Amino acid sequence: MFKSNMRRLTTITLGIATASLFFSCSNDSIIERDSNETSMASLRNVNAKASLVPFELNSWMAGLQDNISISKISIPGTHDSGARIDAPVVSGTAKTQNLSIAEQLNAGVRFLDIRCRHIDNSFTIHHGAIYQNLNFDDVLTACYAFLNSHPSETIIMSVKEEHDPSNNTRSFEQTFDSYVQKNSSKWDLGTTIPSLGDVRGKIKLLRRFSTGTAKGINATSWADNTTFEINNPGAALKVQDYYKVTNNDDKWNGISGLLNDAKNDSNNKLFINFTSGYKPGIFGIPSIPTVSNNINPRLKTFFQNNTKGSFGVMPIDFVNAELSELIVKTNF
């Protein structure tokens, strides 16, 4: 009885398979097959950017293909990345981050804004006149350790001279070179915007200081307190850096405008969208949290509603893992 039932089940199964094969040759099924092939092609195009999910925040770039340009990745960053110490007496005027450099990197940050004072032929980290109890060696030690542990990642590092130089016998460039020479294999000093595969495990320099020789992406023609473009051979930039914020709505309009530009860009342009700023208060005293406390929740809402796309680099004040993750997820 059991064998008889199995034979009948096999016959029915074969009959269904034969009927399916027959109907697959109909015109409607051919159209459907073409549609499926088109969908698969679209899926392959999506996968040219991202491969595997889920991801870990400390190694999320491992899920991206080597051939994607860094200009086509949504990248959480920090503004004044080393500024964790406020000015004495007047709070809210110098501190921009709660997380250390190492903590930022582990939270998904891949753009660092490093401000160096040139003193005694070395670099200390400053926000304006305020020394941050941090030196450039400390920053690089954290970056090198992170990249050694996570070789799939890259760090875009903006380097800018900050505050007054003191007691030096060489140029800012020469001192910078002396740091790079200690671990040159960890740096990419090319002048063009690279593909991710070319800079994995390395620091990519975005240069905001003058040099005698070409090194890094040249961003020395940085405009003040506005949105602007820099067009170098092989490295076009568009930057929103409206930092003296008299109205948070105006600031948000600048941010959202550049987010939209980045998403719709069809060229290899690198968008850098500073969500940071300060609001002048009484006697012109700046308040950084007055801006970040308003803008960061808007940024969170934006990425809760815009979950796919290439939105460029976003240097943020008081970044946290939750906001960083929302930005990272748009890549997958």
Side-chain angles (χ1 to χ4, degrees), residues 70-208:
I70 62 170
S71 69
K72 296 305 176 188
I73 307 174
S74 301
I75 299 177
T78 45
H79 156 254
D80 257 299
S81 306
R84 299 174 66 208
I85 294 176
D86 226 334
V89 182
V90 185
S91 64
T93 60
K95 181 179 179 180
T96 61
Q97 304 299 332
N98 291 319
L99 303 181
S100 69
I101 298 294
E103 289 168 338
Q104 290 172 32
L105 294 171
N106 281 311
V109 167
R110 296 294 178 270
F111 175 95
L112 298 177
D113 173 23
I114 305 300
R115 312 288 179 99
C116 301
R117 183 187 185 191
H118 194 199
I119 180 170
D120 297 324
N121 290 329
S122 62
F123 291 161
T124 56
I125 305 304
H126 271 243
H127 187 180
I130 308 302
Y131 173 51
Q132 294 298 318
N133 289 353
L134 193 70
N135 300 324
F136 196 46
D137 271 326
D138 301 320
V139 173
L140 295 183
T141 296
C143 291
Y144 295 154
F146 176 79
L147 292 172
N148 285 335
S149 299
H150 307 94
S152 61
E153 310 304 287
T154 189
I155 299 167
I156 304 171
M157 184 183 291
S158 169
V159 177
K160 175 181 181 288
E161 184 168 8
E162 189 90 348
H163 198 46
D164 302 325
S166 175
N167 199 33
N168 300 296
T169 60
R170 59 188 180 184
S171 68
F172 188 96
E173 178 187 10
Q174 288 170 325
T175 295
F176 174 80
D177 289 345
S178 73
Y179 283 100
V180 172
Q181 287 161 8
K182 295 175 188 176
N183 207 337
S184 59
S185 66
K186 286 296 182 188
W187 287 85
D188 184 292
L189 301 180
T191 59
T192 60
I193 296 171
S195 295
L196 177 58
D198 295 329
V199 290
R200 290 192 194 272
K202 297 182 179 182
I203 300 170
K204 176 64 188 179
L205 175 65
L206 179 80
R207 177 173 55 84
R208 292 184 63 184

Side-chain angles (χ1 to χ4, degrees), residues 79 86 91-96 127 276-279 286-293 317-318:
H79 156 254
D86 226 334
S91 64
T93 60
K95 181 179 179 180
T96 61
H127 187 180
S276 53
Y278 70 83
K279 192 167 188 177
S287 173
I288 294 167
T290 299
V291 176
S292 60
N293 288 344
D317 279 344
F318 303 107

